[in-house]
Amino acid sequence: MANQNIMCTVSSCHYWTQGNRCNADQILVTSDAMAQKQPDSIDAPRAEALQTVSANSSMETCCKTFVHKNSDKTNADGIKKQ
Ligand code: SF4
């Protein structure tokens, strides 16, 4: 069953599902700058150890859990489909 609280329109993501819902068991939202610096293995399961970041608008944030549905790295971060 899809996450009832996280809505997302990025249909090319491995976790996207019908109704524009996210089917990941957890996600990590962070700044674009942080996401670009960190490897795929850094994601929601390691969030408690991460430093906080600052952003000035929604355009400076992103979903780091995104992985393309055709990627061979869908297991790189420990995130599972619900
Ligand atoms: S992991 Fe992120 S980009 Fe992918 S469906 Fe969920 S919210 Fe959208």
Side-chain angles (χ1 to χ4, degrees), residues 41-76:
S41 59
I42 302 297
D43 211 305
R46 298 171 70 173
E48 289 185 16
L50 298 176
Q51 292 189 329
T52 58
V53 296
S54 181
N56 294 310
S57 75
S58 60
M59 292 174 62
E60 295 178 5
T61 71
C62 69
C63 175
K64 194 175 185 308
T65 307
F66 169 85
V67 61
H68 197 280
K69 61 185 175 185
N70 296 327
S71 172
D72 60 359
K73 297 180 180 174
T74 56
N75 296 320

PDB file of all heavy atoms in Angstrom, residues 41-76:
ATOM      1  N   SER A  41      24.370   6.128  -1.112  1.00  0.00           N
ATOM      2  CA  SER A  41      24.175   5.366   0.127  1.00  0.00           C
ATOM      3  C   SER A  41      23.681   6.224   1.285  1.00  0.00           C
ATOM      4  O   SER A  41      23.166   5.711   2.285  1.00  0.00           O
ATOM      5  CB  SER A  41      25.484   4.678   0.532  1.00  0.00           C
ATOM      6  OG  SER A  41      26.508   5.637   0.721  1.00  0.00           O
ATOM      7  N   ILE A  42      23.839   7.543   1.183  1.00  0.00           N
ATOM      8  CA  ILE A  42      23.352   8.448   2.233  1.00  0.00           C
ATOM      9  C   ILE A  42      21.897   8.774   1.950  1.00  0.00           C
ATOM     10  O   ILE A  42      21.570   9.482   0.998  1.00  0.00           O
ATOM     11  CB  ILE A  42      24.185   9.749   2.287  1.00  0.00           C
ATOM     12  CG1 ILE A  42      25.653   9.431   2.527  1.00  0.00           C
ATOM     13  CG2 ILE A  42      23.638  10.691   3.352  1.00  0.00           C
ATOM     14  CD1 ILE A  42      25.939   8.769   3.848  1.00  0.00           C
ATOM     15  N   ASP A  43      21.024   8.251   2.807  1.00  0.00           N
ATOM     16  CA  ASP A  43      19.588   8.482   2.603  1.00  0.00           C
ATOM     17  C   ASP A  43      18.870   8.383   3.946  1.00  0.00           C
ATOM     18  O   ASP A  43      19.511   8.382   5.001  1.00  0.00           O
ATOM     19  CB  ASP A  43      19.047   7.483   1.574  1.00  0.00           C
ATOM     20  CG  ASP A  43      17.893   8.084   0.763  1.00  0.00           C
ATOM     21  OD1 ASP A  43      16.914   8.536   1.375  1.00  0.00           O
ATOM     22  OD2 ASP A  43      17.967   8.078  -0.478  1.00  0.00           O
ATOM     23  N   ALA A  44      17.576   8.265   3.938  1.00  0.00           N
ATOM     24  CA  ALA A  44      16.766   8.346   5.157  1.00  0.00           C
ATOM     25  C   ALA A  44      17.226   7.432   6.298  1.00  0.00           C
ATOM     26  O   ALA A  44      17.180   7.853   7.458  1.00  0.00           O
ATOM     27  CB  ALA A  44      15.303   8.075   4.813  1.00  0.00           C
ATOM     28  N   PRO A  45      17.682   6.179   6.037  1.00  0.00           N
ATOM     29  CA  PRO A  45      18.094   5.333   7.170  1.00  0.00           C
ATOM     30  C   PRO A  45      19.251   5.932   7.978  1.00  0.00           C
ATOM     31  O   PRO A  45      19.445   5.569   9.136  1.00  0.00           O
ATOM     32  CB  PRO A  45      18.514   4.021   6.492  1.00  0.00           C
ATOM     33  CG  PRO A  45      17.699   3.982   5.242  1.00  0.00           C
ATOM     34  CD  PRO A  45      17.654   5.422   4.785  1.00  0.00           C
ATOM     35  N   ARG A  46      20.003   6.862   7.398  1.00  0.00           N
ATOM     36  CA  ARG A  46      21.137   7.471   8.098  1.00  0.00           C
ATOM     37  C   ARG A  46      20.865   8.923   8.488  1.00  0.00           C
ATOM     38  O   ARG A  46      21.777   9.663   8.861  1.00  0.00           O
ATOM     39  CB  ARG A  46      22.385   7.356   7.225  1.00  0.00           C
ATOM     40  CG  ARG A  46      22.726   5.883   6.983  1.00  0.00           C
ATOM     41  CD  ARG A  46      23.809   5.686   5.965  1.00  0.00           C
ATOM     42  NE  ARG A  46      25.102   6.122   6.453  1.00  0.00           N
ATOM     43  CZ  ARG A  46      26.243   5.938   5.797  1.00  0.00           C
ATOM     44  NH1 ARG A  46      26.235   5.290   4.651  1.00  0.00           N
ATOM     45  NH2 ARG A  46      27.368   6.382   6.299  1.00  0.00           N
ATOM     46  N   ALA A  47      19.631   9.339   8.405  1.00  0.00           N
ATOM     47  CA  ALA A  47      19.280  10.756   8.587  1.00  0.00           C
ATOM     48  C   ALA A  47      19.641  11.283   9.975  1.00  0.00           C
ATOM     49  O   ALA A  47      20.050  12.439  10.106  1.00  0.00           O
ATOM     50  CB  ALA A  47      17.792  10.964   8.330  1.00  0.00           C
ATOM     51  N   GLU A  48      19.511  10.462  11.018  1.00  0.00           N
ATOM     52  CA  GLU A  48      19.762  10.976  12.366  1.00  0.00           C
ATOM     53  C   GLU A  48      21.213  11.385  12.565  1.00  0.00           C
ATOM     54  O   GLU A  48      21.515  12.189  13.450  1.00  0.00           O
ATOM     55  CB  GLU A  48      19.357   9.927  13.407  1.00  0.00           C
ATOM     56  CG  GLU A  48      17.847   9.773  13.497  1.00  0.00           C
ATOM     57  CD  GLU A  48      17.418   8.816  14.605  1.00  0.00           C
ATOM     58  OE1 GLU A  48      18.237   8.498  15.486  1.00  0.00           O
ATOM     59  OE2 GLU A  48      16.260   8.376  14.567  1.00  0.00           O
ATOM     60  N   ALA A  49      22.119  10.873  11.759  1.00  0.00           N
ATOM     61  CA  ALA A  49      23.533  11.209  11.887  1.00  0.00           C
ATOM     62  C   ALA A  49      23.948  12.371  10.980  1.00  0.00           C
ATOM     63  O   ALA A  49      25.096  12.808  11.032  1.00  0.00           O
ATOM     64  CB  ALA A  49      24.380   9.983  11.541  1.00  0.00           C
ATOM     65  N   LEU A  50      23.033  12.875  10.180  1.00  0.00           N
ATOM     66  CA  LEU A  50      23.376  13.933   9.225  1.00  0.00           C
ATOM     67  C   LEU A  50      23.259  15.308   9.862  1.00  0.00           C
ATOM     68  O   LEU A  50      22.399  15.534  10.724  1.00  0.00           O
ATOM     69  CB  LEU A  50      22.450  13.862   8.001  1.00  0.00           C
ATOM     70  CG  LEU A  50      22.515  12.573   7.184  1.00  0.00           C
ATOM     71  CD1 LEU A  50      21.473  12.612   6.067  1.00  0.00           C
ATOM     72  CD2 LEU A  50      23.906  12.361   6.620  1.00  0.00           C
ATOM     73  N   GLN A  51      24.094  16.219   9.395  1.00  0.00           N
ATOM     74  CA  GLN A  51      23.996  17.603   9.834  1.00  0.00           C
ATOM     75  C   GLN A  51      22.793  18.257   9.163  1.00  0.00           C
ATOM     76  O   GLN A  51      22.434  17.914   8.032  1.00  0.00           O
ATOM     77  CB  GLN A  51      25.261  18.379   9.472  1.00  0.00           C
ATOM     78  CG  GLN A  51      26.484  17.927  10.266  1.00  0.00           C
ATOM     79  CD  GLN A  51      27.663  18.849  10.051  1.00  0.00           C
ATOM     80  OE1 GLN A  51      27.819  19.433   8.985  1.00  0.00           O
ATOM     81  NE2 GLN A  51      28.507  18.962  11.058  1.00  0.00           N
ATOM     82  N   THR A  52      22.193  19.209   9.856  1.00  0.00           N
ATOM     83  CA  THR A  52      21.086  19.939   9.253  1.00  0.00           C
ATOM     84  C   THR A  52      21.614  20.867   8.169  1.00  0.00           C
ATOM     85  O   THR A  52      22.807  21.214   8.139  1.00  0.00           O
ATOM     86  CB  THR A  52      20.328  20.759  10.308  1.00  0.00           C
ATOM     87  OG1 THR A  52      21.236  21.660  10.926  1.00  0.00           O
ATOM     88  CG2 THR A  52      19.700  19.834  11.348  1.00  0.00           C
ATOM     89  N   VAL A  53      20.710  21.281   7.283  1.00  0.00           N
ATOM     90  CA  VAL A  53      21.082  22.197   6.200  1.00  0.00           C
ATOM     91  C   VAL A  53      20.080  23.343   6.188  1.00  0.00           C
ATOM     92  O   VAL A  53      19.046  23.287   6.839  1.00  0.00           O
ATOM     93  CB  VAL A  53      21.089  21.492   4.828  1.00  0.00           C
ATOM     94  CG1 VAL A  53      22.146  20.400   4.792  1.00  0.00           C
ATOM     95  CG2 VAL A  53      19.704  20.919   4.508  1.00  0.00           C
ATOM     96  N   SER A  54      20.391  24.359   5.408  1.00  0.00           N
ATOM     97  CA  SER A  54      19.496  25.500   5.283  1.00  0.00           C
ATOM     98  C   SER A  54      19.117  25.685   3.819  1.00  0.00           C
ATOM     99  O   SER A  54      19.916  25.398   2.923  1.00  0.00           O
ATOM    100  CB  SER A  54      20.203  26.758   5.800  1.00  0.00           C
ATOM    101  OG  SER A  54      19.352  27.869   5.706  1.00  0.00           O
ATOM    102  N   ALA A  55      17.907  26.139   3.576  1.00  0.00           N
ATOM    103  CA  ALA A  55      17.455  26.460   2.215  1.00  0.00           C
ATOM    104  C   ALA A  55      16.614  27.722   2.290  1.00  0.00           C
ATOM    105  O   ALA A  55      16.006  28.024   3.323  1.00  0.00           O
ATOM    106  CB  ALA A  55      16.656  25.310   1.636  1.00  0.00           C
ATOM    107  N   ASN A  56      16.564  28.445   1.193  1.00  0.00           N
ATOM    108  CA  ASN A  56      15.806  29.697   1.168  1.00  0.00           C
ATOM    109  C   ASN A  56      14.488  29.594   0.417  1.00  0.00           C
ATOM    110  O   ASN A  56      13.653  30.492   0.506  1.00  0.00           O
ATOM    111  CB  ASN A  56      16.666  30.797   0.537  1.00  0.00           C
ATOM    112  CG  ASN A  56      17.865  31.118   1.400  1.00  0.00           C
ATOM    113  OD1 ASN A  56      17.725  31.352   2.597  1.00  0.00           O
ATOM    114  ND2 ASN A  56      19.045  31.089   0.811  1.00  0.00           N
ATOM    115  N   SER A  57      14.308  28.520  -0.334  1.00  0.00           N
ATOM    116  CA  SER A  57      13.048  28.328  -1.047  1.00  0.00           C
ATOM    117  C   SER A  57      12.904  26.856  -1.389  1.00  0.00           C
ATOM    118  O   SER A  57      13.865  26.079  -1.307  1.00  0.00           O
ATOM    119  CB  SER A  57      13.023  29.157  -2.334  1.00  0.00           C
ATOM    120  OG  SER A  57      13.850  28.553  -3.317  1.00  0.00           O
ATOM    121  N   SER A  58      11.720  26.463  -1.792  1.00  0.00           N
ATOM    122  CA  SER A  58      11.495  25.064  -2.174  1.00  0.00           C
ATOM    123  C   SER A  58      12.387  24.658  -3.343  1.00  0.00           C
ATOM    124  O   SER A  58      12.731  23.485  -3.495  1.00  0.00           O
ATOM    125  CB  SER A  58      10.024  24.848  -2.522  1.00  0.00           C
ATOM    126  OG  SER A  58       9.648  25.684  -3.605  1.00  0.00           O
ATOM    127  N   MET A  59      12.777  25.607  -4.158  1.00  0.00           N
ATOM    128  CA  MET A  59      13.616  25.296  -5.318  1.00  0.00           C
ATOM    129  C   MET A  59      15.018  24.842  -4.914  1.00  0.00           C
ATOM    130  O   MET A  59      15.758  24.313  -5.737  1.00  0.00           O
ATOM    131  CB  MET A  59      13.687  26.503  -6.252  1.00  0.00           C
ATOM    132  CG  MET A  59      12.351  26.783  -6.906  1.00  0.00           C
ATOM    133  SD  MET A  59      12.336  28.290  -7.879  1.00  0.00           S
ATOM    134  CE  MET A  59      13.565  27.902  -9.108  1.00  0.00           C
ATOM    135  N   GLU A  60      15.374  25.067  -3.666  1.00  0.00           N
ATOM    136  CA  GLU A  60      16.694  24.644  -3.177  1.00  0.00           C
ATOM    137  C   GLU A  60      16.634  23.326  -2.418  1.00  0.00           C
ATOM    138  O   GLU A  60      17.624  22.918  -1.811  1.00  0.00           O
ATOM    139  CB  GLU A  60      17.289  25.733  -2.281  1.00  0.00           C
ATOM    140  CG  GLU A  60      17.578  27.023  -3.024  1.00  0.00           C
ATOM    141  CD  GLU A  60      18.127  28.114  -2.124  1.00  0.00           C
ATOM    142  OE1 GLU A  60      18.386  27.850  -0.930  1.00  0.00           O
ATOM    143  OE2 GLU A  60      18.291  29.241  -2.616  1.00  0.00           O
ATOM    144  N   THR A  61      15.479  22.684  -2.413  1.00  0.00           N
ATOM    145  CA  THR A  61      15.348  21.394  -1.728  1.00  0.00           C
ATOM    146  C   THR A  61      15.017  20.306  -2.742  1.00  0.00           C
ATOM    147  O   THR A  61      14.561  20.577  -3.840  1.00  0.00           O
ATOM    148  CB  THR A  61      14.257  21.434  -0.648  1.00  0.00           C
ATOM    149  OG1 THR A  61      12.975  21.496  -1.264  1.00  0.00           O
ATOM    150  CG2 THR A  61      14.448  22.610   0.292  1.00  0.00           C
ATOM    151  N   CYS A  62      15.223  19.061  -2.320  1.00  0.00           N
ATOM    152  CA  CYS A  62      14.949  17.945  -3.222  1.00  0.00           C
ATOM    153  C   CYS A  62      14.671  16.683  -2.415  1.00  0.00           C
ATOM    154  O   CYS A  62      14.935  16.612  -1.220  1.00  0.00           O
ATOM    155  CB  CYS A  62      16.135  17.699  -4.157  1.00  0.00           C
ATOM    156  SG  CYS A  62      17.582  17.061  -3.322  1.00  0.00           S
ATOM    157  N   CYS A  63      14.154  15.692  -3.094  1.00  0.00           N
ATOM    158  CA  CYS A  63      13.997  14.368  -2.512  1.00  0.00           C
ATOM    159  C   CYS A  63      15.237  13.557  -2.858  1.00  0.00           C
ATOM    160  O   CYS A  63      15.431  13.191  -4.015  1.00  0.00           O
ATOM    161  CB  CYS A  63      12.757  13.688  -3.077  1.00  0.00           C
ATOM    162  SG  CYS A  63      12.609  11.981  -2.489  1.00  0.00           S
ATOM    163  N   LYS A  64      16.068  13.279  -1.857  1.00  0.00           N
ATOM    164  CA  LYS A  64      17.295  12.525  -2.133  1.00  0.00           C
ATOM    165  C   LYS A  64      17.009  11.049  -2.351  1.00  0.00           C
ATOM    166  O   LYS A  64      17.848  10.305  -2.860  1.00  0.00           O
ATOM    167  CB  LYS A  64      18.321  12.725  -1.011  1.00  0.00           C
ATOM    168  CG  LYS A  64      19.707  12.221  -1.461  1.00  0.00           C
ATOM    169  CD  LYS A  64      20.765  12.499  -0.461  1.00  0.00           C
ATOM    170  CE  LYS A  64      22.127  12.092  -1.000  1.00  0.00           C
ATOM    171  NZ  LYS A  64      22.183  10.726  -1.518  1.00  0.00           N
ATOM    172  N   THR A  65      15.846  10.608  -1.976  1.00  0.00           N
ATOM    173  CA  THR A  65      15.491   9.193  -2.141  1.00  0.00           C
ATOM    174  C   THR A  65      15.168   8.852  -3.584  1.00  0.00           C
ATOM    175  O   THR A  65      15.171   7.680  -3.961  1.00  0.00           O
ATOM    176  CB  THR A  65      14.294   8.866  -1.220  1.00  0.00           C
ATOM    177  OG1 THR A  65      14.631   9.283   0.107  1.00  0.00           O
ATOM    178  CG2 THR A  65      13.977   7.386  -1.213  1.00  0.00           C
ATOM    179  N   PHE A  66      14.919   9.849  -4.406  1.00  0.00           N
ATOM    180  CA  PHE A  66      14.638   9.588  -5.823  1.00  0.00           C
ATOM    181  C   PHE A  66      15.701   8.678  -6.425  1.00  0.00           C
ATOM    182  O   PHE A  66      16.894   8.881  -6.253  1.00  0.00           O
ATOM    183  CB  PHE A  66      14.610  10.902  -6.622  1.00  0.00           C
ATOM    184  CG  PHE A  66      14.579  10.663  -8.113  1.00  0.00           C
ATOM    185  CD1 PHE A  66      13.391  10.450  -8.767  1.00  0.00           C
ATOM    186  CD2 PHE A  66      15.771  10.606  -8.850  1.00  0.00           C
ATOM    187  CE1 PHE A  66      13.365  10.196 -10.143  1.00  0.00           C
ATOM    188  CE2 PHE A  66      15.757  10.357 -10.213  1.00  0.00           C
ATOM    189  CZ  PHE A  66      14.549  10.155 -10.860  1.00  0.00           C
ATOM    190  N   VAL A  67      15.235   7.673  -7.137  1.00  0.00           N
ATOM    191  CA  VAL A  67      16.117   6.862  -7.982  1.00  0.00           C
ATOM    192  C   VAL A  67      15.299   6.494  -9.212  1.00  0.00           C
ATOM    193  O   VAL A  67      14.114   6.158  -9.109  1.00  0.00           O
ATOM    194  CB  VAL A  67      16.662   5.620  -7.238  1.00  0.00           C
ATOM    195  CG1 VAL A  67      15.559   4.688  -6.772  1.00  0.00           C
ATOM    196  CG2 VAL A  67      17.662   4.856  -8.102  1.00  0.00           C
ATOM    197  N   HIS A  68      15.897   6.588 -10.359  1.00  0.00           N
ATOM    198  CA  HIS A  68      15.151   6.335 -11.592  1.00  0.00           C
ATOM    199  C   HIS A  68      14.658   4.894 -11.635  1.00  0.00           C
ATOM    200  O   HIS A  68      15.356   3.980 -11.195  1.00  0.00           O
ATOM    201  CB  HIS A  68      16.037   6.625 -12.812  1.00  0.00           C
ATOM    202  CG  HIS A  68      15.241   6.780 -14.063  1.00  0.00           C
ATOM    203  ND1 HIS A  68      14.764   5.698 -14.782  1.00  0.00           N
ATOM    204  CD2 HIS A  68      14.815   7.884 -14.700  1.00  0.00           C
ATOM    205  CE1 HIS A  68      14.082   6.148 -15.820  1.00  0.00           C
ATOM    206  NE2 HIS A  68      14.092   7.469 -15.803  1.00  0.00           N
ATOM    207  N   LYS A  69      13.467   4.710 -12.141  1.00  0.00           N
ATOM    208  CA  LYS A  69      12.867   3.367 -12.146  1.00  0.00           C
ATOM    209  C   LYS A  69      13.650   2.360 -12.981  1.00  0.00           C
ATOM    210  O   LYS A  69      13.501   1.155 -12.778  1.00  0.00           O
ATOM    211  CB  LYS A  69      11.413   3.441 -12.589  1.00  0.00           C
ATOM    212  CG  LYS A  69      11.197   3.970 -13.976  1.00  0.00           C
ATOM    213  CD  LYS A  69       9.694   4.102 -14.224  1.00  0.00           C
ATOM    214  CE  LYS A  69       9.405   4.754 -15.558  1.00  0.00           C
ATOM    215  NZ  LYS A  69       7.959   4.987 -15.744  1.00  0.00           N
ATOM    216  N   ASN A  70      14.493   2.829 -13.869  1.00  0.00           N
ATOM    217  CA  ASN A  70      15.307   1.913 -14.672  1.00  0.00           C
ATOM    218  C   ASN A  70      16.732   1.773 -14.148  1.00  0.00           C
ATOM    219  O   ASN A  70      17.570   1.142 -14.781  1.00  0.00           O
ATOM    220  CB  ASN A  70      15.348   2.391 -16.130  1.00  0.00           C
ATOM    221  CG  ASN A  70      13.974   2.358 -16.765  1.00  0.00           C
ATOM    222  OD1 ASN A  70      13.159   1.493 -16.441  1.00  0.00           O
ATOM    223  ND2 ASN A  70      13.697   3.300 -17.653  1.00  0.00           N
ATOM    224  N   SER A  71      16.991   2.347 -12.987  1.00  0.00           N
ATOM    225  CA  SER A  71      18.339   2.321 -12.429  1.00  0.00           C
ATOM    226  C   SER A  71      18.697   0.939 -11.876  1.00  0.00           C
ATOM    227  O   SER A  71      17.824   0.197 -11.418  1.00  0.00           O
ATOM    228  CB  SER A  71      18.442   3.347 -11.297  1.00  0.00           C
ATOM    229  OG  SER A  71      19.671   3.219 -10.622  1.00  0.00           O
ATOM    230  N   ASP A  72      19.990   0.615 -11.883  1.00  0.00           N
ATOM    231  CA  ASP A  72      20.458  -0.617 -11.237  1.00  0.00           C
ATOM    232  C   ASP A  72      20.928  -0.333  -9.806  1.00  0.00           C
ATOM    233  O   ASP A  72      21.535  -1.187  -9.165  1.00  0.00           O
ATOM    234  CB  ASP A  72      21.579  -1.263 -12.062  1.00  0.00           C
ATOM    235  CG  ASP A  72      22.782  -0.354 -12.216  1.00  0.00           C
ATOM    236  OD1 ASP A  72      22.759   0.784 -11.708  1.00  0.00           O
ATOM    237  OD2 ASP A  72      23.763  -0.784 -12.866  1.00  0.00           O
ATOM    238  N   LYS A  73      20.632   0.871  -9.293  1.00  0.00           N
ATOM    239  CA  LYS A  73      21.061   1.267  -7.942  1.00  0.00           C
ATOM    240  C   LYS A  73      19.884   1.438  -6.992  1.00  0.00           C
ATOM    241  O   LYS A  73      19.986   2.175  -6.009  1.00  0.00           O
ATOM    242  CB  LYS A  73      21.857   2.569  -8.016  1.00  0.00           C
ATOM    243  CG  LYS A  73      23.145   2.429  -8.807  1.00  0.00           C
ATOM    244  CD  LYS A  73      23.887   3.741  -8.844  1.00  0.00           C
ATOM    245  CE  LYS A  73      25.176   3.592  -9.632  1.00  0.00           C
ATOM    246  NZ  LYS A  73      25.859   4.880  -9.812  1.00  0.00           N
ATOM    247  N   THR A  74      18.787   0.773  -7.255  1.00  0.00           N
ATOM    248  CA  THR A  74      17.601   0.969  -6.411  1.00  0.00           C
ATOM    249  C   THR A  74      17.800   0.440  -4.995  1.00  0.00           C
ATOM    250  O   THR A  74      17.037   0.792  -4.098  1.00  0.00           O
ATOM    251  CB  THR A  74      16.359   0.300  -7.039  1.00  0.00           C
ATOM    252  OG1 THR A  74      16.654  -1.080  -7.251  1.00  0.00           O
ATOM    253  CG2 THR A  74      15.988   0.960  -8.360  1.00  0.00           C
ATOM    254  N   ASN A  75      18.816  -0.375  -4.754  1.00  0.00           N
ATOM    255  CA  ASN A  75      19.070  -0.911  -3.413  1.00  0.00           C
ATOM    256  C   ASN A  75      20.262  -0.245  -2.736  1.00  0.00           C
ATOM    257  O   ASN A  75      20.727  -0.717  -1.702  1.00  0.00           O
ATOM    258  CB  ASN A  75      19.299  -2.425  -3.482  1.00  0.00           C
ATOM    259  CG  ASN A  75      18.061  -3.163  -3.950  1.00  0.00           C
ATOM    260  OD1 ASN A  75      16.950  -2.821  -3.565  1.00  0.00           O
ATOM    261  ND2 ASN A  75      18.245  -4.161  -4.786  1.00  0.00           N
ATOM    262  N   ALA A  76      20.765   0.844  -3.294  1.00  0.00           N
ATOM    263  CA  ALA A  76      21.995   1.467  -2.782  1.00  0.00           C
ATOM    264  C   ALA A  76      21.812   2.154  -1.438  1.00  0.00           C
ATOM    265  O   ALA A  76      22.777   2.370  -0.708  1.00  0.00           O
ATOM    266  CB  ALA A  76      22.518   2.473  -3.806  1.00  0.00           C
TER     267      ALA A  76
END
